[in-house]
């Protein structure tokens, strides 16, 4: 009963992903429709991909392989995301004091937090797995047992990867707690694990591409690599009660074991981090310094950014690539890039300079820092609002923060590329302008999204950074711009020279950024003022 | 000087949190705002310092409207919230410096004030520590030092004595008296009626967003105690 009450309280407080404050006269319909539209948009894109694969497999009665591919992909995503989501939800929850003071068993607290983590993963996974189910139904027209087993499977998918990633998250937390700069170390270790898994996944690419040609044997292989997928495919093709029980047990037993063993060690970590009070050197007069309000505001934003592992980690992927890719290019030369492109079926005739242009766009699109920056202020927004600074200055400081974080990485990438490949001056100017424009564009989009969907009472940073509507809009709109840009440039590439095309493209991005910036300054300031915590 | 003119504020267009409030607090006056939980004290204070917007009326700080010139008003003012949700990832001195930067406080003024108030509240040795390691009372002290370090003309505080140790409460009361003597305006809400009774020149009692009694202490309580008057008004 206590667990149910705890779950109810936890979900009421935290699972308000689509919650927003309905203000009198605000565009409620737009705010409700936008998330649905976004969900549909992503769903349709995934569905189209699933359809293309299923269409090839259907004539050979191998449509189920498409399903196993998607479940495999979702399992990997859940695993990768779980590494840092678990650190936020399990170890950095803000309701520790409250829950520890109540007469609740430790295992109940851990159980509720794990269920919360699983629920978030489940919702996220649905966006990918549901379209695959729909496409399978469209081709195979299965019976009622498929629906029941698939429903069960979609609930089971997150369990094992979440548990494994939580153990990794626990290890990262444990190791980083031994270091002086814990947060930086935590981000670094998480990034290393993340990159390692990413590297393994990339190298497994040939293996995935062979699925169509060696479909049946690959499915057997998938089964031996990850049993639940094979068991699920067996169940939907020929139902056996024993297989169903095996599938359930293989998921539930590790889950219960994790709760039982985890509750013994989990709290030690939490208590040790709580007791870790920093004693610093004596205060000296030299510490009193004067700075311009904007500099001080940006520094405040930077401190917030570097204080949150999940915030850093969630926005660092593109930036890390911005450093790694040109270094690899420098060391291994252009050949590695050509091989990579051919591997993805992209023509090797495509100029490296065009690819690099879209790479910079990709880095910017992947890095949505501002979409969480207002929500992460939480109740401290009242301090900012009570100070003698305009909302315009506050929003500008958040944009400048994005520049302060992203620009060094992107410029590093640019400069290395310029040195290595010695492009002409017009291309250098183009890339430099793009580097600034893409940061401004994503910063404005992120802020507008965050002002429309603020989440000021989150119980941990993960909810804001990973599970808020604004962060989703920030990332997906960036990806949308990238995909649209590629399609547009590809479509027009025969008609115009590439340099003209890219110059027009960057001009369009610049105009869009300026329009969004002006919108932000005119209407965003009003929205900021309205936020009430 | 604070002038509150026919101010009304509703939440979600339904419940009136404050209803047509009008009064003023003069320079050199210590004014307390008392009321039950949910009476509208924090809403008025948040409106007064520019955190919340309100639909009707206006609030003037030294003859400047908070609606028309919010920054001008805030430059004259300092605010200490009831629950000091400060920037946990900053050290105390970083936070105080940050607030001073926003007020463009000169280096000399902030040095003088930070040292004076840090000594008064006995947290000199803790200024370099992270706020996240502080207790409620310590955070309250940091918020107070940040508020006082730029020499505000108007000091607005929401439950300023909650969480403070007895010595700090005493020092704070003395400081408020001193500031009032210097002609500064002190406006605060409190549940501690004893403090209000001994410290304030005037008080207002608020109930359901409306002022039920306002005036000089002796006029409000007469021969009774403030606690008795407050409880009687609350029951009506």
């Amino acid at each position: 009963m206590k667990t149910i009450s705890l779950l109810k309280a936890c979900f009421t407080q935290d699972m308000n992903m689509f919650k927003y404050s309905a203000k009198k006269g605000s565009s409620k319909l737009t705010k409700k429709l936008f998330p649905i539209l976004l969900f549909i948009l992503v769903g349709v894109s995934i569905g189209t991909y699933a359809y293309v694969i299923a269409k090839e497999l259907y004539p050979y009665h191998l449509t189920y392989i498409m399903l196993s591919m998607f479940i495999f992909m979702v399992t990997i995503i859940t695993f990768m995301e779980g590494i840092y989501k678990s650190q936020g939800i399990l170890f950095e929850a803000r309701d520790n004091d409250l829950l520890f003071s109540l007469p609740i068993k430790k295992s109940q607290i851990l159980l509720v937090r794990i269920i919360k983590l699983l629920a978030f993963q489940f919702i996220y996974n649905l966006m990918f797995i549901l379209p695959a189910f729909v496409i399978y139904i469209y081709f195979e027209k299965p019976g009622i047992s498929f629906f029941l087993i698939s429903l069960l499977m979609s609930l089971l998918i997150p369990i094992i990867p979440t548990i494994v990633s939580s153990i990794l998250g626990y290890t990262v937390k444990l190791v980083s707690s031994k270091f002086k700069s814990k947060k930086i170390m935590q981000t670094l270790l998480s990034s290393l694990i993340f990159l390692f898994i990413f590297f393994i996944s990339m190298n497994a690419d040939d293996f995935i591409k062979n699925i169509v040609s060696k479909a049946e044997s690959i499915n057997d292989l998938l089964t031996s690599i990850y049993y639940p997928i094979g068991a699920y495919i067996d169940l939907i093709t020929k139902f056996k009660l024993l297989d169903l029980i095996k599938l359930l047990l293989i998921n539930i037993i590790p889950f219960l074991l994790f709760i039982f063993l985890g509750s013994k060690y989990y709290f030690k970590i939490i208590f040790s981090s709580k007791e870790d009070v920093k004693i610093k050197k004596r205060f000296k007069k030299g510490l009193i310094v004067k700075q311009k309000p904007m500099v001080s505001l940006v520094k405040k934003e930077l401190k917030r950014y570097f204080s949150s592992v999940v915030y850093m980690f969630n926005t660092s992927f593109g930036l890390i690539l911005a450093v790694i890719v040109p270094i690899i290019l420098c060391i291994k030369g252009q050949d590695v890039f050509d091989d990579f492109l051919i591997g993805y079926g992209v023509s090797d005739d495509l100029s490296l300079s065009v690819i690099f242009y879209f790479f910079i766009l990709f880095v910017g699109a992947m890095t949505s820092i501002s979409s969480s920056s207002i929500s992460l202020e939480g109740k401290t927004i009242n301090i900012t609002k009570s100070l003698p600074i305009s909302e315009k200055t506050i929003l500008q400081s958040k944009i400048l923060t994005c520049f302060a974080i992203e620009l060094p990485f992107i410029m590093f990438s640019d400069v290395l590329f310029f040195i290595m490949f010695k492009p002409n001056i017009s291309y250098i100017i183009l890339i430099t302008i793009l580097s600034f424009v893409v940061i401004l564009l994503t910063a404005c989009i992120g802020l507008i999204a965050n002002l429309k969907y603020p989440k000021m009472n989150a119980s941990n940073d993960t909810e804001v950074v990973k599970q808020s509507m604004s962060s989703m809009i920030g990332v997906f709109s960036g990806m949308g711009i990238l995909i649209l840009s590629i399609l547009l440039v590809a479509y027009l590439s025969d008609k115009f020279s590439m340099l003209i095309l890219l110059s027009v493209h960057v001009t369009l991005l610049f105009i869009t950024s300026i329009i969004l910036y002006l919108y932000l300054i005119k209407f965003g300031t009003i929205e900021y003022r309205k936020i009430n915590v | 000087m604070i002038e509150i003119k026919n101010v009304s504020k509703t939440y979600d267009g339904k419940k009136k949190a404050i209803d047509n409030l009008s009064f003023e607090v003069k320079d050199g006056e210590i004014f307390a705002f008392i009321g039950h939980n949910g009476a509208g004290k924090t809403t008025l204070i948040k409106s007064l310092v520019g955190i919340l917007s309100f639909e009707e009326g206006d609030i003037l700080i030294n003859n400047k409207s908070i609606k028309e010139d919010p920054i001008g008003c805030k430059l004259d003012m300092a605010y200490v919230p009831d629950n000091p949700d400060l920037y946990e990832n900053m050290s105390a001195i970083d936070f105080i410096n940050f607030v001073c930067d926003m007020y463009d406080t000169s280096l000399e003024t902030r040095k003088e004030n930070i040292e004076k108030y840090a000594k008064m509240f006995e947290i000199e040795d803790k200024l370099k520590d992270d706020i996240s390691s502080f207790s409620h009372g310590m955070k309250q002290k940091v918020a107070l030092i940040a508020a006082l370090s730029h020499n505000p003309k108007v000091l607005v505080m929401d439950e300023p004595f909650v969480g403070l140790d007895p010595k700090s409460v005493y020092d704070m009361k003395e400081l408020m008296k001193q500031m009032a003597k210097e002609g500064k305006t002190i406006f605060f809400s409190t549940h501690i009626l004893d403090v209000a009774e001994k410290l304030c020149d005037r008080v207002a009692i608020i109930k359901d967003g409306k002022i039920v009694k306002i005036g000089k202490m002796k006029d409000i309580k007469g021969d009774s105690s403030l606690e008795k008057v407050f409880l009687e008004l609350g029951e009506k």
Side-chain angles (χ1 to χ4, degrees), chain A residues 159-331:
Chain A
I159 295 179
I160 294 175
T162 303
I163 288 169
V164 178
S165 59
S166 296
I167 294 168
L168 276 173
Y170 166 89
T171 314
V172 166
K173 188 82 185 170
L174 189 73
V175 173
S176 54
S177 68
K178 312 278 179 205
F179 288 85
K180 200 180 167 190
S181 307
K182 292 172 183 60
K183 302 277 183 188
I184 303 279
M185 204 59 210
Q186 212 177 326
T187 311
L188 205 69
L189 286 175
S190 304
S191 304
L192 281 175
I193 294 173
F194 195 86
L195 281 172
F196 178 72
I197 299 162
F198 184 71
F199 178 76
I200 297 277
S201 314
M202 291 295 280
N203 281 353
D205 192 50
D206 290 340
F207 157 80
I208 293 166
K209 264 185 254 159
N210 284 330
I211 281 179
V212 179
S213 56
K214 298 175 187 169
E216 270 182 309
S217 62
I218 291 296
N219 192 52
D220 292 342
L221 204 61
L222 277 175
T223 309
S224 58
I225 291 171
Y226 190 58
Y227 175 79
I229 297 177
Y232 165 71
I233 298 297
D234 280 347
L235 279 170
I236 59 166
T237 45
K238 47 181 190 298
F239 180 81
K240 278 186 200 160
L241 188 65
L242 194 67
D243 286 346
L244 179 69
I245 294 169
K246 267 168 79 180
L247 180 68
L248 283 170
L249 287 178
I250 216 149
N251 281 287
I252 291 168
I253 289 173
F255 179 72
L256 294 176
L257 265 174
F258 179 77
I259 299 295
F260 176 72
L261 295 172
S263 57
K264 289 189 186 304
Y265 301 102
Y266 170 61
F267 294 91
K268 279 185 188 170
I269 287 218
I270 289 183
F271 287 130
S272 69
S273 61
K274 277 172 80 69
E275 285 158 9
D276 179 36
V277 177
K278 288 174 191 168
I279 306 295
K280 293 194 175 172
K281 58 181 182 273
R282 258 184 89 88
F283 167 69
K284 289 177 196 154
K285 283 178 190 176
L287 292 166
I288 302 174
V289 285
K290 189 175 189 284
Q291 281 166 328
K292 286 193 182 335
M294 184 59 89
V295 175
S296 214
L297 277 168
V298 172
K299 274 178 80 175
K300 181 207 83 163
E301 291 289 330
L302 287 173
K303 279 188 175 167
R304 181 68 184 95
Y305 180 76
F306 290 110
S307 74
S308 172
V309 173
V310 70
Y311 194 18
M312 277 190 277
F313 189 73
N314 198 50
T315 52
S316 62
F317 185 68
L319 301 179
I320 290 170
L321 282 182
V323 175
I324 290 175
V325 169
I327 289 176
I328 291 174
L329 269 174
C330 277
I331 298 168

Side-chain angles (χ1 to χ4, degrees), chain B residues 99-154:
Chain B
V99 173
C100 286
D101 286 339
M102 297 303 121
Y103 284 90
D104 201 19
T105 314
S106 72
L107 205 53
E108 294 71 34
T109 309
R110 68 173 85 177
K111 269 183 184 168
E112 188 189 318
N113 286 336
I114 293 171
E115 279 169 35
K116 183 169 96 183
Y117 296 121
K119 197 173 177 185
M120 178 193 277
F121 292 118
E122 298 175 323
I123 65 161
E124 286 166 294
D125 292 344
K126 304 279 181 189
L127 285 177
K128 192 71 182 70
D129 291 357
D130 283 351
I131 290 173
S132 58
S133 68
F134 286 178
S135 67
H136 178 96
M138 289 283 287
K139 286 180 187 171
Q140 188 78 351
K141 287 178 181 180
V142 173
L144 276 166
I145 296 170
L148 297 167
S149 56
H150 54 89
N151 288 335
K153 290 175 189 154
V154 177

Side-chain angles (χ1 to χ4, degrees), chain A residues 5-19:
Chain A
S5 301
L6 199 57
L7 264 174
K8 202 176 153 190
C10 177
F11 276 60
T12 314
Q13 169 69 17
D14 301 331
M15 294 294 283
N16 50 358
M17 195 168 162
F18 298 105
K19 196 177 172 184

Side-chain angles (χ1 to χ4, degrees), chain A residues 26 33 53 81 122 134 155 184 186 190 209 289 308 330 343 354 363 393-394 403 419 452 464 467 506 514:
Chain A
S26 68
L33 275 177
I53 299 170
E81 294 235 317
F122 172 72
V134 171
L155 288 168
I184 303 279
Q186 212 177 326
S190 304
K209 264 185 254 159
V289 285
S308 172
C330 277
V354 177
V363 168
T393 312
I394 296 167
F403 275 96
I419 293 169
K452 288 276 174 203
V464 173
Q467 281 117 22
V506 84
I514 294 300

